[in-house]
Amino acid sequence: MKKMRVRANVLVPIRGVRLIITGLLLVSLVACEEKKPETTSINLSLPGIDGVQPPPVAMMGDEDHTLLAPIAKQEPATTEIQQSVAGQQYLKSAHLVANSKPLFAPNLLDSLFVGDNFYPLGWSPDGEKFAYAVARGEEGGHEMFSGVFIQDLVTDKVTWTLKKTGPQSGNTIENFWGENYQKIQAQLDKNKIKLGGAGLKINTTSLAYNGANFDYTVKSKQTNDGQIVSYRVLLTSSVKGSKEISKATLKTINRQNGAYGNKEKVAVIGYFQGADKARVATVLGLMETGWEGTRVMRYKIIGASLKYGKWR
């Protein structure tokens, strides 16, 4: 009987310890579930849904975080470009304006939402150079701008450009391309950029590389009347931390004089990713005021390495 009492005395404390440990583990797990994340960034896995408009997104505010939102499904081009001019078949629009509207101005009439036509052209094999073309109507709608750009995605500097602004009639991006094809092709060859190929479709799905997932965050500051005065674009890695890939200070415009062109909203729309998956061309969209209540989309390319950089 004495031995049995001794065993009982030993077993009771052990069971009590086990219960205490189990309780602590449960409390710890609940605490982890309730703890809010330190960053407001979200994963890019947000494909559009057929027939469903994504909800409006609050995008601005002093040091507010602007996140990549759902993008409407990209529709194929309704017309085919004539291929009578060498290389003209590569002038395929990325449809950035149509993709931007659900994010920037979902309730605005389509006729009042305009912007740059953006044509991704090609990559260099190392992913450090990206070529694209832009076409847009200029002030008042009487002139058209056409241009071809080669951008260094390491420095974000445009290393070569050829552009023209002229009367709207006949000044199309196709005509501009045909008139200057030899000059354009010579610069593409010099930078080892091949027209066409992979990586020319804008991506809005999850960005991943070498086992890490990546998110974008845009922080902006604005005046009391809603003009953006500066912004920063951050790229966050699930493994390495985050780093700043772009920042800019914008000129403010006096609205009392009826001026237009001030930037009202800014957000990352998506990205292009070439054969070298370690480097992407991020597409930043800026919405500005235009003539007679219109809103105009401008686009900026930001290079980003998923491998190198100062991560924090």
Side-chain angles (χ1 to χ4, degrees):
M1 294 296 294
K2 187 175 181 181
K3 289 183 179 181
M4 291 177 66
R5 285 198 297 270
V6 171
R7 289 176 181 173
N9 291 337
V10 173
L11 290 173
V12 169
I14 291 175
R15 288 175 180 173
V17 170
R18 287 176 177 172
L19 289 173
I20 292 171
I21 292 174
T22 302
L24 290 173
L25 287 172
L26 289 173
V27 171
S28 176
L29 288 173
V30 171
C32 289
E33 290 177 356
E34 294 179 350
K35 185 178 179 181
K36 295 182 178 180
E38 295 180 359
T39 176
T40 57
S41 294
I42 56 176
N43 190 272
L44 305 186
S45 246
L46 296 167
I49 301 175
D50 287 341
V52 179
Q53 286 281 355
V57 178
M59 299 178 56
M60 287 297 102
D62 186 22
E63 282 297 313
D64 199 7
H65 289 225
T66 302
L67 307 177
L68 184 66
I71 302 298
K73 185 177 180 181
Q74 183 169 308
E75 297 294 335
T78 56
T79 59
E80 294 184 1
I81 298 174
Q82 296 293 326
Q83 299 185 19
S84 57
V85 178
Q88 199 175 93
Q89 68 269 26
Y90 298 110
L91 285 174
K92 297 180 179 179
S93 174
H95 305 287
L96 296 188
V97 176
N99 286 345
S100 301
K101 190 176 185 300
L103 174 60
F104 284 85
N107 299 320
L108 190 68
L109 292 175
D110 290 348
S111 60
L112 296 178
F113 193 80
V114 297
D116 295 352
N117 288 317
F118 188 92
Y119 306 84
L121 296 176
W123 291 83
S124 62
D126 59 9
E128 295 184 359
K129 297 288 181 65
F130 184 61
Y132 53 92
V134 174
R136 63 169 175 257
E138 293 292 64
E139 301 175 5
H142 302 298
E143 293 186 325
M144 288 293 295
F145 168 88
S146 297
V148 174
F149 304 84
I150 295 177
Q151 184 168 331
D152 186 322
L153 297 181
V154 178
T155 64
D156 272 345
K157 292 182 178 180
V158 174
T159 58
W160 182 82
T161 181
L162 183 65
K163 50 191 177 182
K164 174 185 177 181
T165 300
Q168 189 177 44
S169 178
N171 188 19
T172 65
I173 186 66
E174 290 83 11
N175 289 343
F176 173 79
W177 181 272
E179 294 168 0
N180 299 281
Y181 175 71
Q182 291 185 348
K183 293 180 182 178
I184 296 169
Q185 187 61 61
Q187 289 297 322
L188 294 174
D189 292 341
K190 181 179 179 180
N191 288 274
K192 299 179 181 180
I193 296 174
K194 182 180 179 181
L195 284 172
L200 299 183
K201 181 179 180 181
I202 190 167
N203 296 287
T204 59
T205 54
S206 180
L207 175 57
Y209 173 75
N210 200 24
N213 294 320
F214 296 83
D215 306 316
Y216 289 103
T217 301
V218 178
K219 296 183 178 182
S220 64
K221 288 185 178 181
Q222 62 185 132
T223 60
N224 292 333
D225 64 355
Q227 296 188 53
I228 299 174
V229 294
S230 65
Y231 65 80
R232 299 169 61 218
V233 182
L234 305 177
L235 181 65
T236 302
S237 164
S238 61
V239 175
K240 297 183 177 182
S242 66
K243 66 176 179 178
E244 181 181 87
I245 61 172
S246 181
K247 65 178 179 179
T249 300
L250 306 179
K251 182 180 179 181
T252 57
I253 298 173
N254 187 354
R255 286 187 171 183
Q256 294 180 354
N257 297 330
Y260 62 94
N262 62 289
K263 305 301 187 292
E264 293 183 328
K265 292 182 179 180
V266 57
V268 169
I269 297 172
Y271 62 93
F272 296 100
Q273 191 172 29
D276 184 346
K277 303 300 181 182
R279 189 170 293 280
V280 296
T282 305
V283 183
L284 185 73
L286 296 104
M287 188 179 79
E288 64 181 40
T289 56
W291 288 77
E292 300 178 346
T294 60
R295 293 298 183 269
V296 183
M297 288 302 304
R298 306 300 188 193
Y299 301 101
K300 180 179 179 180
I301 295 295
I302 303 170
S305 172
L306 307 181
K307 186 176 182 181
Y308 302 108
K310 296 181 179 179
W311 302 86
R312 297 179 180 179

